[in-house]
Amino acid sequence: MLALSTETKVDKVFALYEKYGDEDYIGEPVSQLEHMSQAAALAEAEGHDDEVILAAFFHDIGHLCAPGEVESMDGMGNVDHEKLGADFLRELGFSERLATLVESHVVAKRYLTYKYPEYYNKLSPASKTTLEFQGGVMNAEEAHTFEANPDAELIIKLRYWDDKAKEMHIPVDNINHIKSLAVKHLNKDN
């Protein structure tokens, strides 16, 4: 897919949102697109760079990449959606850091439920259900490895944006902006 033009790559990504973005966000009161738009807006409001804003927007793209083609989490999205999404973005030429952030948001949920047991009680019912498919609460060894990641704090922020980006009646008004960030991101290495 690297031979595709930047615009074609971005069109390929956003075609998924056009096709599936209005679908229910796995048991939450918002659509897939509303959820991802809100996550990106939260990252941008905190002053993060384009790579992080894009990771926040793309963090759940794995739910859109292969609908019906991979194992489901009892109707709560695709099993391993974080890896599916990260691999999809890597194939299109998005940076390794961006893909790793996308891939890590599930690990952060597992970590937070280990480190702060009360975090589990703050999860939505859908997030509690998917946690079991995603490996459940981390153990001490896994937590130690996670804490050694230089982007651990940022990954945790991404998780908090994921948790918060479920507000109803928030307009989706940043798609053209996100598309322009994606074009800029893909062009920076060319």
Side-chain angles (χ1 to χ4, degrees):
M1 278 198 244
L2 290 175
L4 299 174
S5 73
T6 298
E7 290 72 21
T8 302
K9 291 176 186 179
V10 172
D11 288 347
K12 185 175 180 65
V13 170
F14 282 87
L16 294 172
Y17 292 98
E18 290 166 15
K19 187 170 183 178
Y20 304 111
D22 288 335
E23 293 182 7
D24 174 58
Y25 175 60
I26 56 170
E28 302 292 354
V30 294
S31 71
Q32 295 275 359
L33 186 58
E34 289 170 323
H35 173 65
M36 294 188 229
S37 169
Q38 289 177 34
L42 290 165
E44 190 156 22
E46 288 189 22
H48 288 278
D49 62 42
D50 294 354
E51 193 171 44
V52 173
I53 295 164
L54 287 167
F57 185 80
F58 293 144
H59 78 275
D60 275 340
I61 198 169
H63 288 306
L64 310 180
C65 288
E69 296 175 26
V70 295
E71 186 181 349
S72 169
M73 294 182 286
D74 285 345
M76 298 288 184
N78 294 334
V79 170
D80 295 330
H81 76 281
E82 67 282 8
K83 180 159 178 31
L84 289 169
D87 288 347
F88 175 73
L89 294 167
R90 284 182 184 107
E91 287 176 24
L92 289 171
F94 285 90
S95 72
E96 182 56 33
R97 182 170 183 246
L98 186 153
T100 299
L101 290 171
V102 166
E103 197 164 19
S104 299
H105 76 282
V106 167
V107 172
K109 178 168 66 169
R110 295 185 62 229
Y111 171 76
L112 289 168
T113 55
Y114 164 80
K115 186 76 172 177
Y116 307 103
E118 67 278 7
Y119 175 77
Y120 178 83
N121 296 325
K122 295 177 184 176
L123 293 175
S124 69
S127 284
K128 288 176 182 175
T129 298
T130 59
L131 177 64
E132 296 314 309
F133 285 94
Q134 297 162 338
V137 176
M138 273 188 179
N139 63 41
E141 184 179 330
E142 291 171 316
H144 180 72
T145 300
F146 175 80
E147 290 167 345
N149 184 327
D151 274 333
E153 286 185 36
L154 182 57
I155 293 165
I156 289 169
K157 279 187 176 220
L158 182 61
R159 181 69 223 172
Y160 284 134
W161 299 327
D162 185 6
D163 290 335
K164 190 173 179 183
K166 298 172 185 176
E167 299 294 323
M168 294 172 45
H169 312 298
I170 304 290
V172 176
D173 58 5
N174 59 350
I175 300 307
N176 287 335
H177 174 61
I178 299 295
K179 281 183 181 179
S180 69
L181 294 181
V183 168
K184 181 177 155 190
H185 177 81
L186 289 171
N187 281 335
K188 89 172 178 193
D189 290 330
N190 294 336

